[in-house]
Amino acid sequence: MTQTQNTGGIAVCPAHAPKDHPKVKPARVGVLLANLGTPDGTDYWSMRRYLSEFLSDKRVIDYPAWKWQPILQGIILSIRPQKSGAAYKSIWNNERDESPLLTITRDQTDAIRKQIEATYGDQVIVDFCMRYGNPSTASKVSEMVAAGCDKILFFPLYPQYAGATSATANDQFFRALMDEKWQPVPRVVAPYFEHDKYIDALAESVQRAYDAAEVKPTKLVCSYHGLPKRYLTEGGDPYHCQCTKTTRLLKERLGWADDQIITTFQSKFGPEEWLQPYTVEEVARLAEQGHTNIAVCAPAFSADCIETLEEINEEIKESFEHAGGEHFTYIPCLNDDPAHIDALTDIIKTNLAGWID
């Protein structure tokens, strides 16, 4: 977009342009945070729309459409919306009538915006979008362009890279750019699984939970969302390696022994083998081995959501207790914890280098 002097956000005709030239907003930089997504409600049709968009993504389920879509549209989406809707109801933010993921992502964005404004003033616009559901990536890109953003820093809120998370978010961002006549210059934030401040924030959250526990856990389970194993073995997806490195760095930051912390994977879907060990089975095994007091954290999730609040803190907890476990401590995601906000803001400022003073 044509550079103009700072006019307080008011569109003006560029200097030296003819009088009939369209007015142009002063140039700004956009920072667009992106998370997975959320249904608009817990009713059948809201859940069906959300699940259809999510499970139709070739990055998530890579089966041929001719094979997968009849199963998805005919069988899965006839049954799963009710089950998923019930799960969402158990964690729904009734006060705001929205999912916790939407609430937390908005709170994160507000906190980051305050820090960014303190440094850059109104030269940078900070907002968020969802890969699936609302607010959509396309709508937020369009809003930023209309506000004068000639550059956009896109930040997928996934510490570890996976094709089914980071890549599909990036895909959607670049698809949105395709609809803009005058495209802003894009940048994408790299995975931050080994960023010092992210590891610090994780370690602080674990230490707080352990300090507050009446009975100290004997094992910390780092539960990451799962992927089909062939995504690693056949596709070379780096997700598994980045997850295990996050766990190792967390262990080292805490100063723990190797046997105090383990890496597991949750949310298995379908008949094929996924990354192992499976969290739901591993917590039961730990209980049977005498580890009746454990803690579980979810380092792959930047915000608490259905996979943490319902799956970990209900289904996985039940598996542990059924096998004889006594004390199950769920350590919340970093959410809008100040240390997390500082880490994310630091990453943003690093990626804005060269674009803005």
Side-chain angles (χ1 to χ4, degrees), residues 39 41-55 71-90 92 269 306:
T42 61
D43 60 282
Y44 173 84
W45 289 108
S46 293
M47 291 305 311
R48 183 177 177 114
R49 283 193 301 272
Y50 173 71
L51 290 172
S52 181
E53 183 181 12
F54 175 46
L55 297 176
I71 298 172
L72 175 63
Q73 301 297 330
I75 302 174
I76 295 175
L77 292 181
S78 296
I79 301 171
R80 196 171 179 88
Q82 292 96 329
K83 182 179 179 180
S84 296
Y88 268 98
K89 281 182 182 178
S90 70
W92 201 249
F269 179 81
I306 192 73

Side-chain angles (χ1 to χ4, degrees), residues 143-339:
E143 286 179 17
M144 285 189 165
V145 171
C149 294
D150 61 356
K151 302 178 182 69
I152 296 179
L153 176 65
F154 187 68
F155 192 172
L157 292 176
Y158 306 109
Q160 301 82 16
Y161 174 95
T165 54
S166 306
T168 189
N170 293 338
D171 290 346
Q172 196 74 346
F173 172 56
F174 284 102
R175 274 193 288 267
L177 293 181
M178 291 171 65
D179 292 331
E180 299 299 329
K181 286 185 171 60
W182 198 336
Q183 292 180 330
V185 177
R187 276 185 186 172
V188 175
V189 176
Y192 55 99
F193 64 97
E194 56 186 349
H195 192 278
D196 284 344
K197 288 190 175 182
Y198 162 67
I199 299 299
D200 285 343
L202 277 179
E204 289 172 17
S205 71
V206 171
Q207 194 60 60
R208 280 196 304 269
Y210 271 56
D211 290 344
E214 294 183 6
V215 182
K216 187 176 179 180
T218 59
K219 195 79 79 169
L220 174 64
V221 178
C222 293
S223 180
Y224 299 83
H225 67 77
L227 289 176
K229 185 177 179 180
R230 62 183 170 82
Y231 286 19
L232 165 66
T233 57
E234 298 176 18
D237 194 300
Y239 178 70
H240 179 270
C241 299
Q242 294 182 3
C243 291
T244 56
K245 185 169 185 178
T246 296
T247 300
R248 176 175 63 80
L249 293 174
L250 175 59
K251 179 203 68 176
E252 292 172 355
R253 191 62 50 90
L254 290 166
W256 287 3
D258 291 346
D259 62 355
Q260 289 180 270
I261 186 170
I262 60 173
T263 296
T264 64
F265 298 91
Q266 64 183 86
S267 307
K268 182 181 182 298
F269 179 81
E272 66 179 302
E273 181 181 2
W274 281 40
L275 297 177
Q276 295 191 40
Y278 302 136
T279 304
V280 69
E281 295 177 0
E282 189 67 10
V283 297
R285 187 185 68 81
L286 289 173
E288 292 167 355
Q289 291 181 342
H291 292 282
T292 57
N293 181 26
I294 67 169
V296 179
C297 67
F301 298 90
S302 61
D304 275 306
C305 55
I306 192 73
E307 286 88 352
T308 63
L309 297 174
E310 195 276 335
E311 186 177 357
I312 291 179
N313 211 23
E314 294 183 22
E315 295 178 26
I316 290 170
K317 179 181 179 181
E318 182 180 341
S319 174
F320 173 70
E321 293 177 342
H322 183 73
E326 298 175 1
H327 301 283
F328 183 97
T329 300
Y330 170 61
I331 302 174
C333 293
L334 295 176
N335 297 326
D336 61 347
D337 179 86

Side-chain angles (χ1 to χ4, degrees), residues 33 104-114 126-128 157 341:
L33 311 173
I104 294 167
T105 305
R106 183 187 296 109
D107 291 344
Q108 291 172 325
T109 304
D110 290 343
I112 291 170
R113 184 183 296 115
K114 288 180 181 178
V126 180
D127 209 339
F128 75 94
L157 292 176
I341 298 303

